[in-house]
Amino acid sequence: GLVAADPDIERMLLRNLTSGLSRRLRLTNVTTVAALERQVEFERTRAIMGRFVVFLAFMMVSYTFLLKFAADLLPANVSPSAITIPITFAYGAALYDLMRRSGVPFRFFGLTLHNLRPVLRDALTWTAATCALATLFKLGLIWWTPSFADQRLFNLSGVLDPQTTQADLQLSLMLAVVYAAVAPLQEFIVRAGLQTSLQRCLIGPSAPLRAIVVSNALFASAHLHLSVSFAFIAFLPGLLWGALFARQRNLVGVSVSHVLCGWFGFFVL
């Protein structure tokens, strides 16, 4: 044929074929190496998150035992919070140190100020909806539950009650300040630590949902020393904040929402 009759055409075809195969081989090698590097990085991060899960599981278990210890041994006029709040700060410091030494960027855990304005706007919207639902729930209790029939819809920490003393109002203010410090720390432990590490360790499209439920169940169990009903009440808004954190991947939004919802529930309703 034409190729056999002209050696130059044959050499050109072979050269083009060889060049094309070389390019495809290089591209395949680059793609394969990149995929392997991503898989290695994923497994490395997953192993690190496994250490976080172990640490946080130990923390939650030891916290529960310490709560029981505080409830049994402390005098009746001393709140268990006198022990649990310092312990929570100690655990938070240990978790922060673990994050720092892990080599994983802080933004991976939601510790970032990126997109702060839309994050806060989104969080405030969720907070307003939550407070509205809580108000409707209390209104329903007042209407249909005899034990709530004489309750005000908005208690306002007893400001409207003539029996409320100045000391009572000062105590409410102090508790509000303490709550504003503790709530973001709780979110740091539960969302940045537990939920994030669980989500990375779990596999499948339902991993975010399972991480939210499990992390909130562990968080709610830490409130069982108060009552089962209080633990259940703590579990429900935790689902909201878990979903908000999964949506934003930013700790600021859930921390602000937690503080505002807590203030509304404890000091307004």
Side-chain angles (χ1 to χ4, degrees):
L2 181 61
V3 174
D6 192 340
D8 291 335
I9 294 178
E10 182 179 6
R11 284 194 296 270
M12 182 180 66
L13 290 175
L14 289 174
R15 185 169 58 250
N16 291 340
L17 180 61
T18 303
S19 177
L21 289 174
S22 298
R23 285 196 300 271
R24 291 181 64 182
L25 183 60
R26 285 196 299 270
L27 180 61
T28 301
N29 287 338
V30 170
T31 304
T32 302
V33 170
L36 289 174
E37 288 178 345
R38 287 194 299 270
Q39 185 64 27
V40 168
E41 180 62 23
F42 176 82
E43 294 298 336
R44 186 186 76 87
T45 306
R46 193 176 180 190
I48 293 172
M49 293 303 102
R51 293 200 293 270
F52 275 84
V53 171
V54 172
F55 168 77
L56 288 162
F58 166 78
M59 186 192 75
M60 300 302 292
V61 171
S62 61
Y63 184 83
T64 303
F65 275 97
L66 288 169
L67 285 176
K68 178 63 175 174
F69 170 81
D72 290 344
L73 298 183
L74 286 177
N77 61 339
V78 177
S79 170
S81 299
I83 289 181
T84 59
I85 289 178
I87 291 173
T88 302
F89 275 95
Y91 282 154
L95 178 59
Y96 177 83
D97 184 63
L98 188 61
M99 290 178 179
R100 183 182 59 82
R101 292 187 289 106
S102 70
V104 179
F106 281 115
R107 65 178 178 275
F108 175 84
F109 300 99
L111 302 180
T112 177
L113 297 178
H114 184 62
N115 288 332
L116 186 59
R117 184 171 296 179
V119 162
L120 288 176
R121 183 169 58 247
D122 200 25
L124 291 175
T125 301
W126 286 47
T127 300
T130 302
C131 292
L133 287 175
T135 302
L136 291 174
F137 180 72
K138 185 176 181 181
L139 184 61
L141 290 176
I142 293 173
W143 282 350
W144 296 308
T145 306
S147 59
F148 280 83
D150 60 343
Q151 295 287 324
R152 290 189 176 93
L153 180 59
F154 297 110
N155 186 48
L156 301 178
S157 294
V159 170
L160 302 178
D161 190 343
Q163 296 182 349
T164 301
T165 65
Q166 186 70 23
D168 294 331
L169 296 177
Q170 291 175 350
L171 177 61
S172 295
L173 179 61
M174 183 186 70
L175 292 175
V177 172
V178 172
Y179 189 87
V182 173
L185 181 61
Q186 291 176 336
E187 291 300 320
F188 171 69
I189 294 172
V190 178
R191 313 296 163 211
L194 190 55
Q195 182 176 326
T196 297
S197 56
L198 280 173
Q199 183 172 335
R200 177 50 64 95
C201 289
L202 297 172
I203 298 176
S206 64
L209 177 61
R210 286 181 286 161
I212 291 170
V213 173
V214 173
S215 60
N216 277 291
L218 289 172
F219 173 72
S221 68
H223 297 80
L224 286 172
H225 69 288
L226 298 173
S227 70
V228 174
S229 59
F230 191 91
F232 180 72
I233 291 173
F235 177 77
L236 293 179
L239 294 176
L240 167 77
W241 295 320
L244 182 61
F245 181 75
R247 169 188 170 92
Q248 297 181 335
R249 298 302 305 170
N250 192 309
L251 197 64
V252 175
V254 290
S255 297
V256 170
S257 180
H258 191 155
V259 171
L260 293 179
C261 287
W263 280 352
F264 187 81
F266 290 120
F267 306 112
V268 177
L269 286 182

